[in-house]
Amino acid sequence: MNIPELPKQRRILALALGSNIGDRVANIEGALSYLESNSDIRIVDTSFLYETRPMYVLDQPKFINGACLVSTAMDPQNLINTIKDAESRQGRLPGIRNGPRVVDLDVLFDDSNAYNLNSVPGRSLTVPHPKIHEREFVLRPLADMMPHFRHPTLKSTIAELLSRLSETSIQQILNFPAHSRNSDASNVVWTLRSQTFIMATLNTTPDSFSDGGDNENVQSALQCSTDAVEAGADIVDIGGFSTRPGSYFVSEEEELSRTAPFIAALRKGGLKVPISIDTFRSSVAEKALDAGANCINDVYALTGPPEDVAGTQTTDISMEGEVRVSDNGAMLALAARWKVPVILMHSRGPADKNKDYSKYGGNILEAVQDELGIRVHRALKAGVRRWNIILDPGIGFSKSIRDNVILIRDHSQLTNSRTEITKPSECLPSSPSISLHNFPTLVGTSRKRFLGHLAGREETKISPKSRDWATAAAVTSLVQQNADILRVHAVNSMRDVIRVADGIWREQYK
């Protein structure tokens, strides 16, 4: 046994996460919940999740793997005891080495310490983990959080170690948990970058800019959703409060009546695809999740509505660093607690205001990266999992026509580069990085006003439903720019556009 005298104050550790039996993500979440509920361990950051082929023992199901950074003051023996208890609580039983498992938690790093602990049979610990350098399913999640951390004994950064491995079939995934409405429901796993996913819009409002009044009763909403899924929609987005310029005020009670009952009816009617609730109110989101939704779509990125929206007054606003918050963190806490995917959209308040980006020299891409990055950092610090965050650049919200065009044409630049410092570090990070690298994206251009202006015909300037051809052009560009999810109204026709574009740029020929 070779254990250094570790300091009594809290330190940072990196843990590997894996499961290949049952609801794999739920197993991982259950183990993490046990750690935080039954010890002083606190989660500092999380990676994305990846589906990976098994290594060493090949005849077993695929794994879902990830990693997290935690803080603790526990000594190594108590730490490994707690981790093994967490695995047992999730149902892990003794089995063959490297074989199938309900959940697997491995300590990878304990700050920059190196030690061996083997005093208790079955509860030994070697730090750093001796096989980090050969496992892409470990290195890739670590690179999401700490690419420039230098391995204490190998003296190479995580990014350098990852670059030395040959490419494998590891694939980033997005998991929609089993919804709460039906005990027989199962989770839905999307393999990102394998195709462009289609989000169908279902607005149960009388004044949405395109389909307002079309789906104000449950029967029409059910038919619309069923038709959309049969036409190729992968997810249905339901909203009860229009955010278009000049839209009517909607009370909380009215928004609740327009959303949760509709979602419950869709689930009762057999809709199995994910459902997202399009709202900025935590009370509406929670009722929707209770009714069967399993994703949150928030145009204000978990900050609550700004002044002049939904009755918000200046006195309701508080500052969290650089972020203006009007709901006392209620939506942020809800997203962290429910652990469902959450779409963070870039906006600056009412859609037709606050279009001055002179602070960024007029560089709209830099502005969106910076302002979304701050909100991503806030979400991660509050416990929202990295693997649950989807980014939306907010086309048409506080953007000029030129801004919208740039964000479509150069969309891939939003998440394809790192912005944090690149100097190698000898310490594990104690806070999430502000980087949008590799986050999945959703974009909604469908039938928006700027497309009508670009098309230049009087009809397209006036009538949203006449903009589907214009939408097709924007959608095609976004597929070429590697957008992950596209939000559309006319699913039947846009499905063909997206599938052909996928065939051209993603080489998907199914």
Side-chain angles (χ1 to χ4, degrees):
M1 182 166 58
N2 176 23
I3 305 177
E5 187 65 33
L6 299 178
K8 298 298 183 182
Q9 66 265 31
R10 301 183 74 82
R11 59 195 193 283
I12 305 297
L13 293 87
L15 305 182
L17 316 169
S19 173
N20 73 336
I21 296 176
D23 187 336
R24 297 168 293 176
V25 179
N27 294 337
I28 290 171
E29 286 287 8
L32 294 181
S33 177
Y34 178 87
L35 291 181
E36 288 203 293
S37 299
N38 294 275
S39 72
D40 81 334
I41 292 174
R42 296 294 174 263
I43 296 171
V44 172
D45 196 3
T46 46
S47 70
F48 298 114
L49 291 178
Y50 299 88
E51 188 168 62
T52 66
R53 291 178 179 173
M55 195 173 180
Y56 311 118
V57 178
L58 304 183
D59 186 19
Q60 59 177 315
K62 289 183 178 180
F63 282 83
I64 283 182
N65 290 106
C68 66
L69 295 174
V70 303
S71 70
T72 184
M74 298 174 73
D75 65 75
Q77 189 63 68
N78 282 331
L79 173 68
I80 194 63
N81 289 345
T82 302
I83 286 174
K84 292 301 181 183
D85 290 345
E87 293 176 338
S88 297
R89 287 299 184 101
Q90 287 305 116
R92 181 171 178 177
L93 300 172
I96 62 172
R97 184 172 178 79
N98 297 316
R101 65 212 76 172
V102 170
V103 70
D104 189 23
L105 308 180
D106 283 332
V107 179
L108 302 172
F109 296 107
D110 185 338
D111 266 339
S112 57
N113 299 304
Y115 56 83
N116 293 297
L117 174 67
N118 51 24
S119 58
V120 179
R123 300 203 165 188
S124 60
L125 180 62
T126 300
V127 175
H129 193 286
K131 293 189 176 181
I132 289 174
H133 65 286
E134 66 184 43
R135 296 178 172 180
E136 185 185 11
F137 65 83
V138 169
L139 288 170
R140 194 165 295 281
L142 287 178
D144 295 332
M145 305 179 292
M146 41 184 266
H148 308 301
F149 173 71
R150 196 193 304 274
H151 192 292
T153 57
L154 299 179
K155 302 304 180 183
S156 295
T157 66
I158 297 300
E160 290 168 344
L161 292 172
L162 180 59
S163 70
R164 294 169 192 162
L165 297 180
S166 58
E167 290 189 12
T168 67
S169 59
I170 187 170
Q171 295 175 302
Q172 188 176 338
I173 64 102
L174 180 64
N175 177 75
F176 295 89
H179 60 81
S180 59
R181 177 55 53 170
N182 187 339
S183 60
D184 296 328
S186 59
N187 65 312
V188 176
V189 177
W190 288 358
T191 301
L192 297 172
R193 283 104 209 191
S194 64
Q195 67 175 78
T196 307
F197 294 93
I198 300 173
M199 172 183 277
T201 63
L202 178 65
N203 291 307
T204 58
T205 58
D207 61 334
S208 290
F209 81 95
S210 176
D211 56 351
D214 290 354
N215 301 294
E216 288 189 88
N217 63 73
V218 170
Q219 190 56 44
S220 64
L222 182 59
Q223 188 62 54
C224 177
S225 300
T226 301
D227 291 346
V229 172
E230 289 179 354
D234 301 290
I235 181 172
V236 175
D237 185 52
I238 297 180
F241 191 129
S242 174
T243 51
R244 70 169 178 83
S247 59
Y248 303 120
F249 171 78
V250 178
S251 69
E252 183 176 326
E253 292 74 19
E254 187 173 0
E255 188 182 1
L256 283 167
S257 72
R258 292 177 178 180
T259 49
F262 285 71
I263 292 168
L266 293 177
R267 290 304 188 199
K268 185 177 180 180
L271 193 71
K272 297 185 184 304
V273 301
I275 295 176
S276 58
I277 174 63
D278 183 354
T279 186
F280 49 78
R281 286 172 166 149
S282 61
S283 58
V284 174
E286 185 143 39
K287 290 290 186 183
L289 294 168
D290 278 332
N294 44 6
C295 179
I296 299 169
N297 183 8
D298 187 351
V299 297
Y300 300 122
L302 310 181
T303 64
E307 297 101 325
D308 303 323
V309 174
T312 303
Q313 304 296 318
T314 302
T315 53
D316 299 322
I317 305 294
S318 61
M319 297 299 297
E320 292 184 19
E322 299 179 61
V323 180
R324 298 167 66 85
V325 178
S326 67
D327 67 349
N328 294 315
M331 189 65 122
L332 181 65
L334 178 80
R337 185 169 69 253
W338 274 83
K339 296 177 174 59
V340 297
V342 56
I343 300 160
L344 305 184
M345 196 190 82
H346 176 270
S347 65
R348 288 177 155 190
D352 58 344
K353 297 181 179 179
N354 303 317
K355 300 180 182 181
D356 181 7
Y357 293 94
S358 56
K359 173 184 174 181
Y360 300 94
N363 187 328
I364 185 61
L365 190 63
E366 180 184 343
V368 172
Q369 285 176 321
D370 182 61
E371 294 174 6
L372 263 184
I374 292 169
R375 285 153 182 79
V376 168
H377 186 252
R378 174 177 178 261
L380 290 172
K381 286 184 67 176
V384 178
R385 310 299 195 217
R386 185 182 301 265
W387 57 68
N388 279 333
I389 295 176
I390 304 163
L391 304 182
D392 180 346
I395 300 296
F397 285 78
S398 304
K399 315 288 192 308
S400 66
I401 293 176
R402 177 179 178 273
D403 292 337
N404 292 323
V405 169
I406 291 171
L407 288 170
I408 294 169
R409 186 189 65 212
D410 300 332
H411 176 75
S412 63
Q413 295 182 31
L414 182 67
T415 59
N416 73 353
S417 61
R418 295 186 180 276
T419 56
E420 76 268 27
I421 58 172
T422 57
K423 183 179 178 181
S425 172
E426 310 297 331
C427 299
L428 292 175
S430 58
S431 180
S433 63
I434 303 180
S435 169
L436 303 188
H437 187 64
N438 269 354
F439 277 95
T441 59
L442 175 147
V443 189
T445 60
S446 184
R447 297 178 176 176
K448 289 191 173 178
R449 183 180 300 175
F450 81 98
L451 294 176
H453 284 283
L454 289 175
R457 294 187 293 112
E458 285 304 312
E459 182 184 10
T460 59
K461 291 180 181 179
I462 298 170
S463 170
K465 291 183 179 180
S466 71
R467 299 170 189 159
D468 284 344
W469 286 107
T471 298
V475 160
T476 303
S477 178
L478 286 161
V479 173
Q480 188 270 339
Q481 284 290 299
N482 298 317
D484 294 288
I485 312 165
L486 296 177
R487 187 176 186 270
V488 301
H489 295 88
V491 174
N492 197 45
S493 55
M494 290 306 114
R495 181 261 181 207
D496 290 351
V497 174
I498 290 168
R499 291 296 171 258
V500 171
D502 268 350
I504 294 170
W505 282 294
R506 295 188 191 267
E507 299 187 14
Q508 296 294 317
Y509 308 126
K510 66 179 183 179

